[in-house]
Amino acid sequence: MACSASSTALVSSNPKAASISPKSSYNSPISQCLSLPSSFNGLRNCKPFVSRVPRSLSSRVAQSQRRRFTVRASSELPLVGNQAPDFEAEAVFDQEFIKVKLSEYIGKKYVILFFYPLDFTFVCPTEITAFSDRYEEFEKLNTEILGVSVDSVFSHLAWVQTERKSGGLGDLNYPLISDVTKSISKSYNVLIPDQGIALRGLFIIDKEGVIQHSTINNLGIGRSVDETLRTLQALQYVQDNPDEVCPAGWKPGEKSMKPDPKGSKEYFASI
C-alpha cells in the first residue's frame, strides 16, 4: 500500500519544475451518482459504500446495486472557458521531489493536466506511460503534461522506481503531482468524496490559463492520447486562426470551416 503521509518540500532546480496552491472559485456543488466497476473496490481493500438509492425505486435499480455500488461525485458549473484554478504542490520528476505551480506556465506553455485515481493500480499506468512515451509530440506543441493523484510523493517515487514489466512506471518525462489534501481534485470537480480519490479528469489549459477542453471518465475507462493530441492541435489552430473553426474529427492539414452561413457552404460543398 502506498504511503499517504505528506512530506517536507524539496525544491529542485529542474527547469520543468513548477509549483501549485489550491484555489477554487465554485461554492455550490451538485451531487450526482456515478457507477464504479466492482473490481475497483478491492484495489486498496476499500470498504464497500452503503447505497443511498431510496427503496421506493424500481427493482431493476435494486438488482443493479447488487452488482455495483454508487458514489457521489461532486459536480459544479463547467470549468471550460474559465480560468484554471491555480495550485502549488509537491511532485516527483526525474526521481526528485520538486514543486509545481500551475501559474508558472501562464504566458509560456499550454498544459495537459490529468487526474488518475491511485498509484499501483491497473488502468492508470497504461495512461501515464502512454503520455510519457508521446511526450515529445506535446513538447513540439509547446505543451507541458502534469499528472495528479491523491497519493503521496513517496508513493509516486516508489512507483517510478518500479519497472514497467512489474506494473511500475519507470522514468517519466513529466511530473507526477501529489494531491494528498485532495484540494486540487476538488477544485477541478473530479473528486469522489466518499472514496477520497479522483475520477479520470483531463483538462487542456491554454497559455492564458483558460481551460479550453475537459473530459471526465469513470474509473474503469482509460483515455486516448491520440484524441488529446488531436484536440490540442485543433485548439491551437483555432487560436491561431480566429476566423475559422474545426469540424468533427479535424486533423492538421485538413480543411477547416468559416463560422458563418455563407462561408460554411464552401466546406460543406467540399465533403
Side-chain angles (χ1 to χ4, degrees):
M1 179 178 294
C3 172
S4 60
S6 60
S7 64
T8 303
L10 298 177
V11 180
S12 167
S13 60
N14 194 305
K16 287 194 178 180
S19 287
I20 313 178
S21 153
K23 188 190 297 181
S24 176
S25 59
Y26 304 98
N27 300 308
S28 304
I30 303 170
S31 295
Q32 65 183 21
C33 288
L34 293 176
S35 300
L36 276 73
S38 59
S39 60
F40 194 86
N41 191 33
L43 295 181
R44 290 292 180 89
N45 296 318
C46 300
K47 295 180 180 180
F49 298 101
V50 178
S51 172
R52 292 183 172 82
V53 179
R55 292 186 179 181
S56 59
L57 293 181
S58 68
S59 59
R60 176 181 169 185
V61 174
Q63 291 173 358
S64 174
Q65 292 305 318
R66 296 191 188 104
R67 299 191 301 271
R68 62 191 181 186
F69 58 90
T70 61
V71 295
R72 301 183 69 82
S74 176
S75 177
E76 300 179 355
L77 295 175
L79 290 172
V80 171
N82 295 326
Q83 199 74 19
D86 193 17
F87 60 89
E88 180 176 341
E90 285 186 285
V92 170
F93 179 67
D94 199 21
Q95 300 201 23
E96 294 182 7
F97 295 156
I98 65 171
K99 285 279 188 147
V100 175
K101 188 171 185 177
L102 182 63
S103 58
E104 290 189 357
Y105 295 105
I106 304 303
K108 302 173 184 177
K109 289 188 175 185
Y110 289 80
V111 173
I112 303 293
L113 177 69
F114 74 91
F115 295 81
Y116 65 94
L118 290 169
D119 290 351
F120 293 99
T121 51
F122 312 117
V123 176
C124 299
T126 66
E127 295 183 313
I128 295 168
T129 56
F131 274 107
S132 183
D133 292 345
R134 304 280 296 277
Y135 182 81
E136 288 186 3
E137 295 177 61
F138 289 94
E139 189 175 37
K140 289 177 181 178
L141 295 172
N142 193 30
T143 301
E144 183 58 87
I145 300 173
L146 301 173
V148 186
S149 82
V150 299
D151 300 275
S152 71
V153 287
F154 302 108
S155 177
H156 286 346
L157 181 60
W159 206 16
V160 168
Q161 291 176 338
T162 303
E163 295 181 352
R164 290 190 183 186
K165 64 182 180 181
S166 299
L169 302 176
D171 288 330
L172 297 176
N173 291 311
Y174 58 86
L176 283 187
I177 296 168
S178 170
D179 183 26
V180 290
T181 65
K182 303 175 177 60
S183 54
I184 307 174
S185 302
K186 184 177 181 180
S187 68
Y188 281 83
N189 302 333
V190 295
L191 182 68
I192 304 173
D194 289 345
Q195 283 203 28
I197 59 177
L199 294 165
R200 298 187 189 281
L202 183 146
F203 302 86
I204 299 181
I205 304 168
D206 69 16
K207 288 195 295 183
E208 303 306 314
V210 176
I211 297 176
Q212 297 289 349
H213 168 82
S214 72
T215 58
I216 300 177
N217 289 4
N218 212 336
L219 303 180
I221 308 167
R223 289 158 288 196
S224 168
V225 177
D226 286 335
E227 178 57 18
T228 302
L229 184 63
R230 188 202 71 81
T231 304
L232 173 65
Q233 291 168 328
L235 163 62
Q236 293 185 349
Y237 182 87
V238 168
Q239 290 191 331
D240 291 340
N241 301 274
D243 61 336
E244 300 178 39
V245 293
C246 294
W250 180 92
K251 294 180 181 179
E254 295 182 352
K255 192 172 183 61
S256 61
M257 179 191 294
K258 297 289 185 180
D260 62 73
K262 183 178 180 180
S264 61
K265 290 182 180 179
E266 181 182 346
Y267 171 81
F268 290 120
S270 69
I271 61 175

